[in-house]
Amino acid sequence: MSALIPASQVPLAVALVVATAGVSLVYGYVGYRLHRRQVSSEARLASTQFALWWGGLGVSTAIGGTELALALAGALSFPLALTFYLVVVLVDCAFLWGLVGFLLFVYTGKYHLFELTAFYAWFYVTLLYYVFTQVPSSVAVVAGSVNLQYAAHPIAVLEAVLVLGLLGPELVCGILYFSLLRRTEDPARRYRIWLVAGGILLWFAIDVFVPSSTLPWALAKGVVQVIPGILSLFAFYPPAWARRRYGVTSWDEPVSPPPAAARSP
């Protein structure tokens, strides 16, 4: 069927394509619902940024599934794979910008747009430089993931800087968001903090620590990563049991922070 995927792996690869499509639809739905929330004009951008995080994840996931489907059909050339990769890099930088921007606004009450945009513009350009210094030369499929193959070795220091830039801001801001639990005793606010911050940190924990070394692991990992998105959706549109227990309703309301002692997420 394809030189990139052995015949013995085709059934699991097809299952992964289907699962990936489902995951991307869930992410897209979460992003759509969050974007539709009614919020104050001050908080509109922050709400849109959080929706961008989930919607962008949906787009990035869909691109990965499309690549794998093309590989199964024997239609994934190196130029096409490289094009997809460059698009994914741009999408990833956009949704990371959205996530960090949302968390910064909730924690500080300010957008920090210049600093945040400058950082992710630098990150995007630096990542492109990192890719091309390795001289991408071909494409391979490993455990259901389409990867570029390189003719040169990576620059170790630059690689470490990029990993730190990729994970550091999100994890630091996620932990700071969690720290808002100390500033409020309101059950509804604590409910939202637990689900939003917990979902974000869980997504990164799964992405970093759950292996994708085989197709079954990649399939399981993709399905499990739906859970953080559902947690974020439930944070703003709580199910019936949460409404009864915590006294919350559908939170179509401003996300702008009140005074520091009871800052709202």
Side-chain angles (χ1 to χ4, degrees), residues 57 62 74 96 114 134 145 147 155 163 166 214 221 243 250:
L57 272 177
L96 289 173
F114 176 79
Q134 296 176 75
S145 177
N147 297 316
I155 303 172
V163 170
L166 175 65
T214 65
K221 180 175 182 177
R243 298 181 188 184
S250 181

Side-chain angles (χ1 to χ4, degrees), residues 251-264:
W251 287 25
D252 287 323
E253 63 180 30
V255 296
S256 54
R263 198 182 299 275
S264 169

Side-chain angles (χ1 to χ4, degrees), residues 31-235:
Y32 170 77
R33 288 295 303 274
L34 293 176
H35 179 66
R36 296 281 294 176
R37 291 178 61 232
Q38 299 299 313
V39 299
S40 68
S41 57
E42 178 190 10
R44 181 73 265 173
L45 177 57
S47 181
T48 300
Q49 286 177 315
F50 194 45
L52 176 62
W53 155 247
W54 290 112
L57 272 177
V59 172
S60 184
T61 302
I63 292 174
T66 301
E67 285 188 285
L68 182 57
L70 289 172
L72 278 166
L76 185 66
S77 64
F78 167 65
L80 186 56
L82 180 59
T83 301
F84 274 127
Y85 183 83
L86 297 179
V87 172
V88 166
V89 168
L90 181 60
V91 172
D92 289 358
C93 287
F95 68 63
L96 289 173
W97 173 90
L99 175 62
V100 175
F102 166 77
L103 294 172
L104 280 175
F105 174 78
V106 172
Y107 188 77
T108 68
K110 300 178 181 178
Y111 279 112
H112 306 280
L113 282 178
F114 176 79
E115 302 95 319
L116 185 65
T117 304
F119 173 80
Y120 279 105
W122 164 83
F123 185 82
Y124 173 70
V125 172
T126 304
L127 185 55
L128 291 184
Y129 175 77
Y130 170 77
V131 169
F132 285 111
T133 57
Q134 296 176 75
V135 191
S137 56
S138 61
V139 61
V141 178
V142 180
S145 177
V146 176
N147 297 316
L148 297 178
Q149 303 296 297
Y150 300 96
H153 294 292
I155 303 172
V157 174
L158 184 56
E159 185 174 46
V161 169
L162 286 171
V163 170
L164 183 62
L166 175 65
L167 297 177
E170 294 77 24
L171 296 180
V172 170
C173 289
I175 292 169
L176 289 175
Y177 187 103
F178 240 136
S179 73
L180 293 176
L181 285 169
R182 299 176 302 174
R183 303 185 182 185
T184 180
E185 297 298 327
D186 180 75
R189 295 191 189 283
R190 292 177 66 85
Y191 165 85
R192 183 192 283 188
I193 294 170
W194 271 109
L195 265 63
V196 173
I200 291 169
L201 294 177
L202 177 62
W203 190 93
F204 279 99
I206 294 170
D207 193 59
V208 173
F209 296 112
V210 176
S212 299
S213 52
T214 65
L215 273 169
W217 270 110
L219 185 60
K221 180 175 182 177
V223 172
V224 171
Q225 280 189 306
V226 168
I227 296 173
I230 295 173
L231 291 178
S232 288
L233 185 64
F234 283 178

